[in-house]
Amino acid sequence: MHVLHRGQAPQKPLLLRPLFGGVQRIGMRSETTTTLRDAGRGKPGPAMPGVQMVMAVEVLRVLPDGSARYRFTLEEVDLLVAARTPVRTVEAARAQLSPLPGLKGEGQVAPNGRASGFEWKLPADLSAPVRGQMQQMAGLLKDLGTFLPGEPVGVGARWEEKGAGSGALTGANTRVELRSLEGQSVGLRLQMETPRTPQPIPASLRPPPGVKGEASMHTEAKGHGGCLLSLDRLWPIRLELDVESHVAVRAGTPDAPKRFDGFTTSRLQVRELSFTPPRLRATRTV
């Protein structure tokens, strides 16, 4: 983490101070749209349902260094179905998601918000596609942690983190600006960008052996959004992140060139639905 500007006075350290036994209930929505462009002609990609979830995060213990160990429970999962999504696609997706409610995992977060691990306890009979999706989600959940600076800052401060992110934003340079600071409440603006990165190209797109041609594939992505934090919570109170990713394929021979691009727009929204402090929880169980 590198602080570019420390912002206005007064300046204070931004550290998470989670409450042992506190429980956050969080709603998350994730939607994705794709566009394919071949020879300059664009067309929508296949319609895929979005996902909405309700999750509970309980602080199991707070360690002497301020790190917090937490338990994650996936309470509800449902689809966000676009109008033109085929019925069979929806039915198949719902069938794959059906084992997920009740799924649990555990993780740990440092005082600067950096996650040091998150692991699902996945059922042995979970289908391979859903297992892969849940492993990807574990990376996403790990990155929901806040990237807080290592020194005191004030409103207007800016800092950056290199090589963070997962999924389309793997290796992204993340820039953060402190927009508001009042008591435990912290408002951040986020900007993320990955470099143009070469990727392995499928053998089916390469020119035949001995034939002159080209074969290259590159990816790049940009993300922007903002979040509102409370320093006594592990996860954001509110977060919105839009990510635009681009895959460019240049292949084929001079007589039969292949030029196509894929554009994916993803939107992630997180909202805290409720927060139950430890004292209130104890009162309810008496």
Side-chain angles (χ1 to χ4, degrees):
M1 186 69 66
H2 176 57
V3 175
L4 304 173
H5 177 57
R6 294 185 60 178
Q8 306 170 9
Q11 297 169 349
K12 59 180 287 187
L14 302 182
L15 297 173
L16 297 179
R17 299 178 178 87
L19 302 174
F20 165 68
V23 178
Q24 272 182 287
R25 292 185 71 251
I26 299 165
M28 186 170 79
R29 295 166 60 100
S30 177
E31 300 175 87
T32 299
T33 58
T34 60
T35 301
L36 305 176
R37 185 175 298 165
D38 187 357
R41 298 180 180 180
K43 64 177 181 179
M48 295 299 294
V51 178
Q52 58 184 359
M53 299 182 290
V54 176
M55 308 167 285
V57 182
E58 179 183 3
V59 179
L60 299 177
R61 58 183 179 273
V62 178
L63 304 177
D65 66 356
S67 297
R69 188 75 184 172
Y70 67 90
R71 177 188 295 120
F72 172 98
T73 303
L74 186 56
E75 295 184 342
E76 302 174 19
V77 185
D78 201 359
L79 297 178
L80 300 168
V81 182
R84 57 190 178 88
T85 306
V87 173
R88 290 184 178 179
T89 300
V90 176
E91 292 176 346
R94 284 202 166 120
Q96 290 183 335
L97 295 176
S98 61
L100 298 183
L103 193 65
K104 296 184 183 296
E106 290 192 7
Q108 187 164 311
V109 179
N112 65 356
R114 187 68 62 87
S116 57
F118 179 85
E119 295 182 359
W120 289 113
K121 297 178 180 178
L122 297 175
D125 59 348
L126 199 63
S127 68
V130 176
R131 182 176 296 274
Q133 292 172 4
M134 298 311 293
Q135 296 295 358
Q136 291 179 2
M137 185 180 294
L140 173 64
L141 296 174
K142 183 176 67 175
D143 290 336
L144 279 180
T146 57
F147 294 99
L148 298 178
E151 57 188 85
V153 293
V155 173
R158 299 187 304 276
W159 58 93
E160 66 179 6
E161 171 82 4
K162 295 185 181 295
S166 63
L169 290 171
T170 297
N173 180 32
T174 302
R175 300 180 185 89
V176 186
E177 180 181 355
L178 179 58
R179 301 301 301 274
S180 63
L181 177 59
E182 184 175 348
Q184 297 285 329
S185 180
V186 178
L188 303 176
R189 181 169 65 182
L190 309 173
Q191 290 184 307
M192 305 171 182
E193 184 174 358
T194 65
R196 192 166 183 265
T197 306
Q199 301 291 344
I201 190 166
S204 59
L205 296 177
R206 298 173 187 165
V211 177
K212 183 179 180 181
E214 62 175 333
S216 67
M217 183 166 67
H218 292 83
T219 59
E220 55 188 336
K222 293 182 179 180
H224 62 88
C227 67
L228 179 66
L229 313 173
S230 181
L231 296 177
D232 61 354
R233 315 280 214 273
L234 288 182
W235 282 6
I237 301 293
R238 190 167 66 243
L239 179 144
E240 293 188 2
L241 182 64
D242 292 335
V243 178
E244 298 176 355
S245 57
H246 174 209
V247 178
V249 176
R250 304 292 181 263
T253 65
D255 295 332
K258 297 177 181 179
R259 306 284 188 274
F260 55 90
D261 300 85
F263 300 90
T264 301
T265 300
S266 303
R267 165 162 287 192
L268 175 69
Q269 295 179 311
V270 175
R271 296 288 187 273
E272 181 182 88
L273 304 177
S274 66
F275 176 68
T276 308
R279 183 176 302 174
L280 184 56
R281 290 185 68 229
T283 301
R284 287 180 175 178
T285 58
V286 171

